[in-house]
Amino acid sequence: NAGVTQTPKFQVLKTGQSMTLQCAQDMNHNSMYWYRQDPGMGLRLIYYSASEGTTDKGEVPNGYNVSRLNKREFSLRLESAAPSQTSVYFCASSEFGGNSPLHFGNGTRLTVT
Amino acid sequence: GQQVMQIPQYQHVQEGEDFTTYCNSSTTLSNIQWYKQRPGGHPVFLIQLVKSGEVKKQKRLTFQFGEAKKNSSLHITATQTTDVGTYFCAGRQAGTALIFGKGTTLSVSS
């Protein structure tokens, strides 16, 4: 099993460009999450999807959009990238929301110049 | 909004010394989870605590959940170089998603 797969691993964008981070899980999990990790800030929740067909804002949703394409896939879109969005982005999934362990992908390191 | 505070931010120990990190919430939590992230890696789930006053052990690691379900701790006995990394707690109020603390980064010198 691959677990949680994120693409791409690295990306450099110019300010104002757009991109979509892809995430897929093969564990038949119901819930999926996007976190960003910045030095000294821990992991901050951007958006989550408790189940297929639903999405909710987390702690830092501004500047991002998400799509729960199906049960397996949860994408994160930056419509107009800003330097403040330079970060490491982690996708995670869990079987039953916050009562189950989160399984993380390997992360996407994004730099916005 | 819900906040999860974690201290200390950094801790350096000599191999064989003990280590403790503390997690405090401003609100009562339904459950708390602990994760470990090795340098350059992704967070990996260690354990979940659900009951008031719960204590769980994994080899040299001891996890506690406070009686009021607002605080938790992770204690490592006799640290080893393999314990190096950042330890995160993550708490959840009923009906909300997990919120992570900022983590405690542990370094160990031999």
Side-chain angles (χ1 to χ4, degrees), chain B residues 50-55 65-69:
Chain B
V50 178
K51 298 177 183 175
S52 169
E54 190 169 14
V55 178
F65 201 9
E67 294 289 340
K69 300 183 74 173

Side-chain angles (χ1 to χ4, degrees), chain B residues 39-77:
Chain B
H42 58 274
V44 175
F45 174 79
L46 293 176
I47 209 159
Q48 174 169 271
L49 305 170
V50 178
K51 298 177 183 175
S52 169
E54 190 169 14
V55 178
K56 287 189 176 181
K57 293 191 176 185
Q58 288 180 349
K59 298 182 181 178
R60 295 178 293 104
L61 278 61
T62 301
F63 304 84
Q64 293 189 323
F65 201 9
E67 294 289 340
K69 300 183 74 173
K70 287 187 174 182
N71 56 73
S72 182
S73 64
L74 158 59
H75 180 82
I76 302 178
T77 303

Side-chain angles (χ1 to χ4, degrees), chain A residues 37 98-100 102 105-106, chain B residues 31 33 35 37 42 48 92 98:
Chain A
Q37 185 172 33
N99 287 329
S100 307
L102 267 60
N106 288 332
Chain B
N31 60 309
Q33 297 178 358
Y35 292 79
Q37 184 177 26
H42 58 274
Q48 174 169 271
R92 190 182 76 90
L98 276 172

Side-chain angles (χ1 to χ4, degrees), chain A residues 32-50:
Chain A
M32 298 185 73
Y33 312 81
W34 278 104
Y35 287 90
R36 61 177 287 175
Q37 185 172 33
D38 303 293
M41 297 298 292
L43 291 150
R44 291 184 292 171
L45 181 63
I46 304 171
Y47 271 94
Y48 67 101
S49 171

